C-alpha cells in the first residue's frame, strides 16, 4: 500500500537571477512499512526531498501525497500540526536542545499534545527505553556521546508515534560501532513497530539495513541503479 | 492549551542560560531602581503641592523672601492677622534649618507657641511614641515627625543636636501632611532664644481660615493690611507656598522624569538586545521546534514570554530594592524648611511590573516574529 506518492515533484530556488532546481520532476512511491535508503552525490537533492516529505519545505510544482494528505494544500500552521502527528525527523547532527536534558528533549514534541504530565512521563520513559538510554534521562546533550545523542534524537522522533521517520545521514557523524547501534535501532523500529523509514546515507554499508535503495542524481531518480528487494 | 504546557521550557531557557540572564536582569534591575526612585519623588511632589479640597490653611511669609533666614516678620502681626475677617487663628512660627542647601537629610525646627499649636493642630498629629505632656513640660522638648525620626533613629528620651540647637525628643508623631512628617516642633521662644536678637521675630504665620472658599479673599486682605508696613507680607495656600519655595527642586524632579523615561528606554534596549542575541544563536533550535510541529505562532509566543520573564524579574528586583531603600531611608528632599517626601508607595511596584511586562512584549515581538517567519529548511542549511 502506497504511503508516500511523489509525482513530477519539483523544487526550485531563486538565487539572484538564476534558478536552482534541486528536485526536477521526481516520481517516487513509498509503501507503508518500507525502509528506503537514498543515495546520491552531494547536491543531488536528497535533503530537499526529505524536507518535502517531512513537511518542512513545500514543492514548487508537482504532487506530494503523504498518507492521503496533499501537503502542498496545507497552510503553514496546518502543516505544523500535521508534522507533529505524522513524521519524526532525525538529523545528521542530532539537533538536541542543549539546555534540556535527554528526558526533556524527548518530552518536547509531546507538549503539543493534550496529554497529562503522567501520560507524557510514560511515553518518554518508554521511548528512552526503546533506544536503550533509560539510565541517561537526566543527562544534558554535552554529557552524552554522539551515538547516545543520536539515539536520544531518535527517541524524540518516535515518542509521538508517527507513521513516518525521515533520517538525513543519521550515521554521518558517528564511529562504526555507534553507527551500527543506530542502524540496528532504525531497523528494529521498522520491523517491530512498522515505521516507514526514508533515510539518506553516504555509506553503502548502511544500506544493508534497509529494504530498498534508490539513487538520486540531479534531482531525479537514477532508474538504472534501482535495486528492489522483496521485503521478507 | 499548548502555551501553558510549554512555559517550563521558557523558564529553563532563562535559568539555564544563567550568565546571560543574570546580566540582563541586573541591567534591568538597575534601570528600574532609578525609574522607581524618580516615580517616588514625583509622587512626593504631587503630594506636597496639590491641595486637598478641604484645605483651610494659609502661610503668611515676608514679601519677596524665599528662605527662613531672611523671612522675618514681627510676632505681633498675629493680632492684626487674627482681626482680618474669615481668619480663625494665626500661629506664629519660627523655622530653623540645619542646612541651607538642598539635602536629603535636613533637620527643620518649627518653633510654635505650644498651647495654641496643640489647640489648632493637636488632632491632626497621631503620637506614635512618647507623650505630649512631656513636650509641654520641658522647654527644650521636641515633637519629631515620623520621617525625620526614622531617618535619624530618634526615640523619646534621646537628645539630638542640629543647627547648633540641642533638643530633647519628647515624642514622635505621624501626620498626613508631608511637611509635618519631616520636622521637629519645639517651643517658639526656645528657638528664638537660640538665635541672636530673634525674640519677637518669626519666620511665618500659619493661618486657619473659616472656610476653604475664603482662602483667596483672606490672603488678599492680609497682604493688603501690611502693604505699606516696613515688613510687607505675601500670603499663599500651603501647597502654593511649597511650590514657590521648592520650585527649583520641583523643576529638577520634573526633569528627572525624563531620566525615568530614559531608564525605560534602557530596559527596552537591554531586553531587546538579549532576546535578539538569543534568537540569533538559536536559529536551528527554533527550526527544530518547528520541525517537531511547533507552529510559528507558538514559537513567537515562547520567545516573547522569555522577554516578559526577563523584564519582569529585573523589574521586580529593581523596583522592590528602590522601595526598600526609600522606606528604610525615609528620605525627603528638603529646601529652605519645606520638604518633598520620597514616597515608598507599594503601588509603584505594580506600576514597575506592568511597565516591564509591556516592555518585554515590545522587545520580544520583533525578533520572535522574525524567528517564526524563517524558512525552516534554510535554517538547517546555514547552521
Ligand atoms: N534554500 C535554498 N536556497 C538555495 N539553494 C538551495 C536551498 N536548498 C538547497 N539548495 C540547493 O539545492 C541543491 C540540492 O541540495 P540538497 O538537497 O541539500 O542536496 P543533498 O542533500 O543531496 O546534498 C544544492 O545545490 C543546494 O545548494
Ligand atoms: Mg544533504
Amino acid at each position: 500500500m502506497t504511503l508516500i506518492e511523489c509525482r513530477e515533484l519539483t523544487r526550485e530556488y531563486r538565487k539572484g537571477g538564476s534558478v536552482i532546481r534541486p528536485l526536477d520532476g521526481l516520481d517516487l512511491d513509498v509503501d507503508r512499512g518500507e525502509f528506503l535508503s537514498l543515495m546520491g552525490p552531494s547536491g543531488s537533492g536528497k535533503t530537499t526531498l526529505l524536507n518535502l516529505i517531512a513537511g518542512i519545505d513545500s514543492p514548487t510544482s508537482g504532487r506530494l501525497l503523504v498518507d492521503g494528505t496533499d501537503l502542498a494544500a496545507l497552510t503553514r500552521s496546518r502543516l505544523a500540526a500535521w508534522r507533529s502527528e505524522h513524521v519524526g525527523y532525525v538529523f545528521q547532527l542530532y539537533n538536541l536542545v542543549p539546555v534540556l536534558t535527554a528526558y526533556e528533549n524527548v518530552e518536547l514534541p509531546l507538549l503539543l499534545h493534550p496529554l497529562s504530565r503522567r501520560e507524557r512521563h510514560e511515553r518518554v520513559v518508554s521511548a528512552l527505553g526503546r533506544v536503550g538510554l533509560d539510565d541517561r534521562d537526566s543527562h544534558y546533550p554535552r554529557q552524552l556521546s554522539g551515538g547516545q545523542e543520536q539515539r536520544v534524537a531518535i527517541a524524540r522522533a518516535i515518542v509521538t508515534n508517527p507513521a513516518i521517520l525521515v533520517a538525513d545521514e543519521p550515521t554521518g557523524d558517528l564511529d562504526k560501532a555507534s553507527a551500527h547501534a543506530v542502524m540496528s535501532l532504525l531497523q528494529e523500529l521498522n520491523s517491530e513497530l512498522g515505521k516507514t523509514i526514508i533515510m539518506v546515507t553516504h555509506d553503502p554499508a548502511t544500506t544493508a539495513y534497509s529494504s530498498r535503495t534508490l539513487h538520486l542524481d540531479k534531482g531525479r531518480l537514477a532508474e538504472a541503479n534501482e535495486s528492489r528487494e522483496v521485503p521478507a | 492549551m499548548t502555551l501553558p504546557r510549554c512555559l517550563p521550557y521558557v523558564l529553563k531557557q532563562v535559568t539555564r542560560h544563567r550568565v546571560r540572564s543574570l546580566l540582563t536582569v541586573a541591567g534591568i534591575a538597575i534601570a528600574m531602581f532609578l525609574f522607581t526612585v524618580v516615580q517616588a519623588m514625583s509622587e512626593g511632589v504631587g503630594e506636597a503641592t496639590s491641595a486637598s479640597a478641604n484645605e483651610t490653611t494659609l502661610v503668611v511669609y515676608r514679601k519677596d523672601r524665599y528662605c527662613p533666614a531672611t523671612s522675618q516678620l514681627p510676632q505681633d502681626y498675629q493680632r492684626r492677622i487674627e482681626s482680618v475677617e474669615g481668619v480663625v487663628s494665626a500661629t506664629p512660627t519660627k523655622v530653623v534649618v540645619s542646612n541651607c542647601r538642598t539635602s536629603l537629610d535636613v533637620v527643620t525646627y518649627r518653633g510654635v507657641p505650644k498651647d495654641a499649636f496643640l489647640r489648632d493642630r493637636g488632632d491632626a498629629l497621631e503620637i506614635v511614641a512618647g507623650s505630649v505632656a512631656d513636650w509641654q513640660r520641658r522647654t527644650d522638648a521636641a515633637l519629631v515627625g515620623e520621617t525625620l525620626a526614622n531617618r535619624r533613629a530618634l526615640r523619646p528620651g534621646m537628645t539630638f543636636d542640629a543647627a547648633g540647637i540641642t533638643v530633647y525628643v519628647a515624642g514622635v508623631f505621624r501626620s498626613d501632611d508631608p511637611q509635618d512628617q519631616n520636622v521637629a516642633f519645639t517651643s517658639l521662644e526656645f528657638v528664638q532664644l537660640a538665635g541672636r536678637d530673634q525674640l519677637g521675630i518669626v519666620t511665618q504665620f500659619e493661618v486657619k481660615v473659616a472656610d476653604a472658599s475664603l482662602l483667596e479673599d483672606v490672603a488678599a486682605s492680609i497682604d493688603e493690611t501690611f502693604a505699606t508696613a516696613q515688613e510687607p507680607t505675601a500670603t499663599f495656600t500651603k501647597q502654593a507656598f511649597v511650590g514657590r519655595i521648592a520650585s527649583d527642586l520641583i523643576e529638577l524632579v520634573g526633569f528627572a522624569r525624563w531620566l525615568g523615561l530614559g531608564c525605560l528606554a534602557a530596559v527596552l534596549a537591554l531586553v531587546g538586545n538579549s532576546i535578539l542575541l538569543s534568537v540569533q544563536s538559536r536559529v536551528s533550535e527554533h527550526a527544530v521546534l518547528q520541525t517537531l510541529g511547533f507552529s510559528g505562532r507558538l514559537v513567537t509566543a515562547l520567545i516573547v514570554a522569555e522577554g516578559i520573564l526577563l523584564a519582569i524579574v529585573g523589574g521586580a528586583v529593581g523596583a522592590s530594592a528602590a522601595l526598600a531603600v526609600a522606606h528604610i531611608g525615609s528620605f525627603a528632599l528638603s529646601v529652605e524648611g519645606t520638604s518633598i517626601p520620597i514616597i515608598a508607595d507599594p503601588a509603584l511596584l505594580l506600576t514597575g511590573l506592568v511597565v516591564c511586562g509591556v516592555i518585554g512584549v515590545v522587545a520580544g515581538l520583533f525578533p520572535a516574529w522574525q524567528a517564526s517567519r524563517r524558512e525552516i529548511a534554510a535554517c538547517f542549511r546555514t547552521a
Side-chain angles (χ1 to χ4, degrees):
Chain A
M1 198 173 79
T2 307
L3 182 66
I4 301 166
E5 184 183 327
C6 308
R7 286 288 170 279
E8 291 283 307
L9 196 59
T10 301
R11 179 64 169 114
E12 291 177 351
Y13 295 104
R14 260 160 238 290
K15 225 179 204 171
S18 65
V19 173
I20 306 167
R21 192 172 295 152
L23 278 189
D24 189 5
L26 174 123
D27 292 316
L28 169 68
D29 289 310
V30 182
D31 286 344
R32 193 179 290 277
E34 252 195 284
F35 186 165
L36 175 67
S37 290
L38 283 174
M39 296 192 75
S42 160
S44 58
K46 305 181 296 291
T47 298
T48 303
L49 177 59
L50 280 195
N51 290 346
L52 290 179
I53 292 172
I56 60 172
D57 195 4
S58 302
T60 309
S61 67
R63 224 153 68 94
L64 174 59
L65 284 183
V66 182
D67 207 359
T69 306
D70 180 3
L71 296 192
L74 298 181
T75 61
R76 226 183 132 106
S77 63
R78 290 265 159 136
L79 198 54
W82 180 86
R83 286 194 297 270
S84 77
E85 298 271 338
H86 293 87
V87 279
Y89 203 125
V90 178
F91 302 90
Q92 179 179 354
L93 294 175
Y94 334 126
N95 274 329
L96 298 177
V97 177
V99 296
L100 299 183
T101 62
Y103 181 98
E104 291 161 347
N105 265 288
V106 176
E107 188 187 26
L108 209 44
L110 292 179
L111 297 178
L112 299 171
H113 299 263
L115 299 171
S116 70
R117 203 187 210 342
R118 191 201 169 92
E119 289 167 316
R120 290 204 302 269
H121 178 76
E122 279 165 13
R123 292 214 196 181
V124 172
V125 168
S126 132
L128 279 173
R130 173 56 73 181
V131 301
L133 287 174
D134 11 20
D135 55 337
R136 298 298 158 98
D137 56 350
S138 61
H139 285 54
Y140 287 92
R142 62 172 184 280
Q143 296 166 326
L144 298 171
S145 71
Q148 290 170 333
E149 276 195 78
Q150 192 60 297
R151 276 146 66 199
V152 172
I154 291 171
R156 179 177 69 183
I158 61 169
V159 74
T160 53
N161 198 22
I164 304 166
L165 279 186
V166 298
D168 197 354
E169 302 185 38
T171 60
D173 225 47
L174 298 178
D175 60 61
K176 230 178 175 152
S178 303
H180 172 69
V182 164
M183 287 314 303
S184 306
L185 180 58
L186 288 177
Q187 192 177 39
E188 210 177 283
L189 294 174
N190 172 246
S191 60
E192 291 176 17
L193 300 183
K195 303 284 173 212
T196 304
I197 301 180
I198 301 151
M199 174 184 74
V200 167
T201 181
H202 267 129
D203 179 4
T206 58
T207 62
Y209 297 85
S210 62
S211 51
R212 179 159 66 129
T213 303
L214 292 175
H215 291 262
L216 268 180
D217 193 22
K218 299 195 181 102
R220 290 167 182 267
L221 287 183
E223 303 283 349
N225 291 329
E226 180 170 351
S227 62
R228 182 158 204 161
E229 290 164 24
V230 183
Chain B
M1 265 298 286
T2 313
L3 184 58
R5 272 202 300 276
C6 295
L7 289 181
Y9 165 83
V10 174
L11 196 62
K12 286 165 197 165
Q13 287 294 348
V14 169
T15 54
R16 295 180 189 173
H17 287 110
R18 204 175 328 151
V19 176
R20 171 176 75 89
S21 299
L22 277 181
L23 288 175
T24 307
V25 164
I28 297 168
I30 291 168
M32 286 310 292
F33 180 92
L34 293 175
F35 174 78
T36 307
V37 168
V38 169
Q39 291 294 105
M41 291 198 298
S42 300
E43 282 209 3
V45 167
E47 191 151 309
T49 58
S50 58
S52 58
N54 52 5
E55 178 61 60
T56 54
T57 311
L58 289 171
V59 177
V60 180
Y61 217 61
R62 175 81 173 266
K63 196 179 177 195
D64 297 330
R65 302 290 161 86
Y66 293 86
C67 66
T70 55
S71 175
Q72 304 201 333
L73 292 171
Q75 192 173 336
D76 58 19
Y77 274 14
Q78 182 182 356
R79 264 177 301 117
R80 293 171 68 188
I81 295 173
E82 282 178 342
S83 67
V84 170
E85 201 179 323
V87 171
V88 175
S89 68
T91 308
T93 306
K94 175 119 183 97
V95 178
V96 174
V97 295
S98 65
N99 187 340
C100 292
R101 291 166 302 164
T102 302
S103 156
L104 285 176
D105 183 23
V106 175
V107 174
T108 304
Y109 293 110
R110 282 174 187 248
V112 289
K114 286 183 179 173
D115 292 334
F117 175 76
L118 287 176
R119 185 191 62 223
D120 293 342
R121 301 287 321 279
D123 292 344
L125 307 184
E126 179 195 340
I127 303 297
V128 292
S131 79
V132 175
D134 221 14
W135 184 60
Q136 285 173 292
R137 206 161 36 238
R138 286 183 66 146
T139 45
D140 66 343
L143 274 182
V144 180
E146 200 181 25
T147 306
L148 173 59
N150 285 344
R151 191 167 71 238
R152 290 268 177 136
L154 300 176
R155 283 186 306 279
M158 296 169 71
T159 56
F160 80 100
D161 176 284
I165 302 175
T166 305
V167 295
Y168 166 84
V169 180
V172 175
F173 66 86
R174 181 179 300 155
S175 162
D176 287 339
D177 184 338
Q179 299 307 318
D180 291 344
Q181 283 283 82
N182 199 36
V183 303
F185 286 106
T186 59
S187 112
L188 175 57
E189 263 171 57
F190 176 72
V191 181
Q192 285 173 327
L193 286 168
R196 191 180 299 177
D197 299 331
Q198 294 293 304
L199 269 179
I201 306 283
V202 298
T203 311
Q204 65 201 51
F205 292 87
E206 307 235 334
V207 175
K208 274 251 165 281
V209 175
D211 188 271
S213 64
L214 298 173
L215 282 174
E216 271 180 42
D217 291 345
V218 171
S221 307
I222 292 172
D223 291 343
E224 204 173 309
T225 307
F226 302 104
T228 57
Q230 201 164 3
E231 288 100 359
T233 60
T235 304
F236 309 91
T237 62
K238 215 164 175 175
Q239 288 71 24
F241 174 72
V242 173
R244 173 174 174 268
I245 297 284
S247 64
D248 289 352
L249 208 55
I250 290 166
E251 227 169 86
L252 218 59
V253 172
F255 176 72
R257 301 201 71 144
W258 291 104
L259 293 183
L261 285 181
C263 289
L264 296 188
V267 173
L268 182 67
L270 274 164
V271 182
N273 180 54
S274 176
I275 296 297
L276 198 68
L277 288 181
S278 109
V279 165
Q280 279 172 359
S281 67
R282 282 195 269 154
V283 169
S284 67
E285 184 176 320
H286 290 135
V288 168
L289 291 183
Q290 298 200 51
T291 303
L292 296 178
F294 284 59
S295 65
R297 205 181 303 167
L298 181 55
V299 170
T300 304
L302 293 177
I303 295 170
V304 169
E306 206 174 314
I308 296 175
L309 184 62
L310 286 172
I312 286 204
V313 170
V317 171
S320 333
L323 292 182
V325 167
H327 180 73
I328 294 167
S330 296
F331 298 113
L333 297 164
S334 297
V335 57
E336 308 296 6
T338 62
S339 299
I340 304 291
I342 297 179
I343 298 176
D345 181 353
L348 288 178
L349 179 60
L350 192 68
T351 310
L353 292 184
V354 170
V355 164
C356 280
V358 171
I359 290 179
V361 173
V362 172
L365 212 47
F366 179 67
W369 178 79
Q370 263 193 328
S372 73
R373 295 300 307 163
R374 287 203 182 94
E375 295 257 5
I376 304 170
C379 292
F380 294 124
R381 224 163 265 284
T382 50

